[in-house]
Amino acid sequence: MTTPLAEVLDGQRAANLRKAARALLKEPLLTADGPRGDEFRLVRQYATELREWFDRNTGWPLRVDTDAARLRKTPGTLDDSTHPAREAGRAAQPFTRRRYVLLCLALAALERGEAQVALGRLAEQVVLDAADPHLAAAGIAFTLEKRDERGDLAAVVRVLLRLGVLRRVAGDEDAYVAGAGDVLYDVKRRVLAGLLATRIGPSMVTAAGFEDRLAKLTTQSALDSDELRFRAIRWKLTRRLLDDPVLYYDTLTEEELAYLTRQRGFLTARIAELTGLVPEVRAEGIAMVDPDDDLTDARMPEQGTHGHITLLLAGHLAAAGGPVGRDELERRVRELAAEHGGFWSKSAREPGAEAELVEWALARLAALGLVTVTGREAVPRPALARYAVGEPVVKEPGPRRAAGTKASERRPTR
């Protein structure tokens, strides 16, 4: 039976709209001449539909022009530190407070600068701005005379290169870090202008404390009616369902939980229709599972030594039934090295490596909402149960499942 042409076209349009939405969720800043130019063109084609959906369901403004598409995302929660900025690559270090300050100083200098800039000149501007007494009072100082400080600035620049704010014309950042060269960049001013995701300019905020300033920067409007309050709750819940690996009920206020209880089917259906994510509803919360295992910056399980150790420690933590100290986890890594070390990298088998391996694993598990790290302890969260080691399962006459492997372990999570 031949499928009607109109039905085929509708299906293709829905698939393209979904691809465009997923591209924005994965990379909220897309440029026309960047590595994801094809996805940018899809976003531009469906800009009207995407803008309406995000405005209604998340409150995230979408700006699209000939150079870039910018989805101005703000998170559902403002206190999650488990997804810091990084350079590209697994070995890249997460951004520290110093790097974030450097990023802000570099952006301010670029905003005032010309269409081209050398890295050495950018460094001079950053050092001048860093002399601000407010930064000194906060214990922040930059001279960029030391190699590690130049390395921090190079990390900031590489993030701006990835975002499309800068385009390298000549030179190499490694040479600059070594003190043996400079780098020249083109500054994409229209992309730069779209980076700020706040509703109001930071200079307009007069609150003193960090949390208060952050709240003011992200506040939409006065919630002086039931309609506005319900809209704010809908936005917050949809943002968390899109961004967080797991939305736990015990992290919600009574009003938010009551709204989610009433509107759960509507919220998850709207997200599934646009993105293809599949709702997995449990007693403790909701996870929007990605069958394509693509909309994530932290996968589980993952290939390589670190991924293997993280998976093994997840099973250990899931079986613990309560908080586990880092010392115990480090002992467990030493035990695992004796059993699995032949499959691990050489550096992971060296004495003393267990502390770094545990740190990496806990950071990954925390980013996925599987544990909460408090001081020297890791506290398992309910979703970690999917990685618990179960009893061997044998099905006859069909194929066997590996002993101790749950079917749920094989399902990708965000």
Side-chain angles (χ1 to χ4, degrees), residues 102 118-127 143-155 157-158 170-185:
L102 265 180
L119 183 50
R121 176 60 178 164
L122 178 61
E124 292 173 0
Q125 292 296 318
V126 166
V127 170
T143 64
L144 298 179
E145 294 176 356
K146 299 179 181 178
R147 184 185 180 96
D148 62 336
E149 288 190 350
R150 294 195 297 273
D152 284 340
L153 182 59
V157 165
R158 290 187 182 112
D172 179 77
E173 289 82 29
D174 290 337
Y176 167 79
V177 173
D182 208 342
V183 196
L184 181 65
Y185 306 100

Side-chain angles (χ1 to χ4, degrees), residues 322-391:
V324 180
R326 288 181 185 249
D327 292 341
E328 179 183 336
L329 292 173
E330 290 174 14
R331 286 195 298 271
R332 181 58 182 156
V333 169
R334 290 193 291 270
E335 295 170 357
L336 293 169
E339 184 177 354
H340 303 285
F343 302 100
W344 294 359
S345 64
K346 181 180 178 181
S347 61
R349 302 193 302 269
E350 294 178 354
E354 57 272 9
E356 184 273 334
L357 295 170
V358 168
E359 181 70 25
W360 196 97
L362 290 182
R364 177 54 52 93
L365 294 173
L368 289 167
L370 301 176
V371 303
T372 300
V373 179
T374 57
R376 294 283 299 173
E377 287 187 333
V379 182
R381 297 291 281 154
L384 190 65
R386 65 163 51 222
Y387 297 100
V389 178
E391 295 297 323

